[in-house]
Amino acid sequence: MDTASMQLAAASGLMSLFLFIVAVGLLALLAGGFWLTSRVRSNESPRPRPEEQPKLPPEGPVREIRQNRESAEVPRTAKGERPLTPYELSNMDSRPSESQDRPRWSKGSSGSFGGGGLGAH
């Protein structure tokens, strides 16, 4: 056997050893991942049983209600007084609008600023 074939065999053996070590390392990573996942799952709360699942209300499924709403007016401050801060405002209620017609965009308008439409002319 000459030195060239011995060097080739040695390089081939080193490559095989390297690939074997990489494969064992990958298997160790996979096993560690499964172990870590099982530990995390054991700390989670159990899945709900069928009797714990949400139920429909007695009156049946909830339906969508479409209506236009108007907000309450923001109270105005007298001249010379300081403006109200958001924390001083009460919970601003809304009420159904008198007109239930849905607002529509004008023809040829995209409905948004910079939307690419021709706009109202």
Side-chain angles (χ1 to χ4, degrees):
M1 200 181 228
D2 62 345
T3 56
S5 63
M6 285 179 61
Q7 287 177 347
L8 187 60
S12 175
L14 282 176
M15 182 60 107
S16 298
L17 180 63
F18 175 73
L19 288 176
F20 177 75
I21 291 173
V22 168
V24 168
L26 284 174
L27 286 174
L29 281 174
L30 282 172
F34 280 114
W35 175 77
L36 186 62
T37 302
S38 67
R39 284 197 54 194
V40 168
R41 280 202 178 158
S42 67
N43 292 335
E44 290 178 351
S45 58
R47 291 185 178 176
R49 296 187 306 271
E51 61 270 7
E52 296 173 337
Q53 296 292 331
K55 305 255 186 297
L56 277 176
E59 58 272 0
V62 179
R63 302 285 182 221
E64 178 181 345
I65 298 174
R66 285 190 169 210
Q67 58 178 243
N68 293 336
R69 298 194 61 85
E70 293 178 356
S71 60
E73 292 294 322
V74 176
R76 298 193 180 271
T77 56
K79 222 173 198 174
E81 290 184 18
R82 68 174 181 78
L84 296 173
T85 63
Y87 304 104
E88 294 171 322
L89 294 172
S90 64
N91 188 8
M92 303 302 287
D93 292 330
S94 65
R95 63 185 182 283
S97 175
E98 291 183 20
S99 168
Q100 291 298 318
D101 294 333
R102 293 181 60 205
R104 298 289 180 197
W105 305 115
S106 59
K107 187 172 182 167
S109 171
S110 66
S112 66
F113 178 76
L118 296 175
H121 292 283

